[in-house]
Amino acid sequence: FKVIGNADGLFESEMLQLFRQHFPQIGEAAISTKPSKNQKYLALSITVHATSQEQLDNIYQVLSRHPLVLFVL
């Protein structure tokens, strides 16, 4: 997944909390961050090992509706 939001500090912690709810086994190596050129936005790339399509669909829906998320890929 790639999730993009404002680089305000709250975004990163909220997203990590959401991912860990859906994928408790996720490790730090599966997460990378990249700020935008002007430091206004933050992109989180998170690699997960899903056990079903339903699991992927659920996290995608949660992320898509979250007020701090601007884009989800």
Side-chain angles (χ1 to χ4, degrees):
F1 284 90
K2 183 168 274 197
V3 186
I4 302 168
N6 289 317
D8 60 7
L10 182 61
F11 171 71
E12 184 175 2
S13 62
E14 281 279 322
M15 294 306 105
L16 294 178
Q17 182 180 5
L18 282 175
F19 270 93
R20 287 197 170 111
Q21 287 174 358
H22 291 267
F23 301 96
Q25 74 283 5
I26 198 166
E28 292 299 318
I31 303 164
S32 65
T33 61
K34 184 176 180 184
S36 64
K37 185 177 179 181
N38 62 4
Q39 306 290 316
K40 184 175 180 180
Y41 303 105
L42 183 65
L44 295 175
S45 295
I46 302 172
T47 303
V48 298
H49 296 285
T51 56
S52 69
Q53 183 64 44
E54 182 181 7
Q55 191 179 26
L56 291 173
D57 292 343
N58 288 341
I59 186 70
Y60 186 81
Q61 288 175 9
V62 168
L63 292 169
S64 296
R65 287 187 251 131
H66 198 285
L68 296 178
V69 174
L70 300 175
F71 297 102
V72 180
L73 304 172

